[in-house]
């Protein structure tokens, strides 16, 4: 079980520390990032950091979970905006995914951290890695499943397992873009992203769309 120390001190100091830590962890990775570098980036002393966080592991966990919750909440709003009321299923799925891609530009420091986590997964303490996976956008397909189940109830999709169908849609669309752009680090032209997304959505609908 991870011991999460209660934060002390001024909230603005804590925000400065977490913002700096997200930037340093994303730039240097978990193993190489030092508390000295985070303190310098935040403009605070190491003692101030330890007033708020027990150690580097706890700081990394808090930063990773904070970013994951922010991104997950944004993806939830995007789902609700595009998938609650369907007008054109293919276009609505394409628009939903394009907005998910655009969200990477809203949270660049978080997705830099995602790249660092993927590169260093074997060196990150297992409890931290599991907590981040459980909270993070990597499980977004589980929150997508109820929307696809509702579409199936309306006869717009044919599926037995909404969780599996959601994972397939995610793999065919946003995952494909994430891999090609390294989570936004090497952006593609919009028309190329749209072509990837549209192709993925069409493949999904060929697998899960109504027959005949």
């Amino acid at each position: 079980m991870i011991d999460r120390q209660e934060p002390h001190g001024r909230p603005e100091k804590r925000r400065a520390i977490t913002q700096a830590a997200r930037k340093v962890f994303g730039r240097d990775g978990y193993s190489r990032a030092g508390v000295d570098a985070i303190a310098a980036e935040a403009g605070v002393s190491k003692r101030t950091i330890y007033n708020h966080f027990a150690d580097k592991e706890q700081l990394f966990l808090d930063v990773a979970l904070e970013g994951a919750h922010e991104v997950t909440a944004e993806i939830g709003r995007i789902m609700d905006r595009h998938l609650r009321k369907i007008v054109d299923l293919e276009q609505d799925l394409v628009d939903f995914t394009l907005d998910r891609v655009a969200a990477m530009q809203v949270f660049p420091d978080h997705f830099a951290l995602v790249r660092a986590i993927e590169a260093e997964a074997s060196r990150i303490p297992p409890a931290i890695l599991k907590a981040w996976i459980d909270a993070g956008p990597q499980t977004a397909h589980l929150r997508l499943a109820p929307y696809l189940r509702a579409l199936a109830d309306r006869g717009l999709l044919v599926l037995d397992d909404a969780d599996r169908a959601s994972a397939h849609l995610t793999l065919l669309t946003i995952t494909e873009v994430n891999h090609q752009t390294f989570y936004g680090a090497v952006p593609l032209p919009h028309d190329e992203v749209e072509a990837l997304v549209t192709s993925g959505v069409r493949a999904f609908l060929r697998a899960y769309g109504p027959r005949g």
Side-chain angles (χ1 to χ4, degrees), residues 165-193:
S166 300
H168 288 163
L169 178 58
T170 298
L171 287 167
L172 289 165
T173 56
I174 188 68
T175 302
E176 177 72 11
V177 175
N178 284 344
H179 285 171
Q180 292 205 29
T181 65
F182 297 92
Y183 292 94
V186 186
L188 291 174
H190 179 77
D191 59 343
E192 291 185 31
V193 173

Side-chain angles (χ1 to χ4, degrees), residues 50-120:
Y50 289 123
N51 283 340
H52 289 266
F53 301 94
D55 50 31
K56 188 175 88 167
E57 286 188 11
Q58 195 232 335
L59 175 55
F60 183 83
L61 176 63
D62 275 36
V63 166
L65 293 185
E66 183 181 88
H69 290 313
E70 289 173 355
V71 174
T72 296
E74 178 61 20
I75 291 172
R77 288 188 286 271
I78 293 170
M79 286 180 186
D80 205 55
R81 184 162 66 246
H82 289 289
L83 303 180
R84 184 167 292 280
K85 184 177 180 180
I86 296 295
V87 176
D88 178 322
L89 181 56
E90 178 181 312
Q91 191 59 53
D92 287 332
L93 289 175
V94 168
D95 291 343
F96 157 65
T97 307
L98 290 176
D99 272 3
R100 283 193 67 185
V101 172
M104 286 191 290
Q105 304 306 315
V106 180
F107 303 98
D109 289 341
H110 172 75
F111 284 101
L113 185 62
V114 172
R115 292 192 293 273
I117 290 172
E118 291 204 348
E120 289 193 86

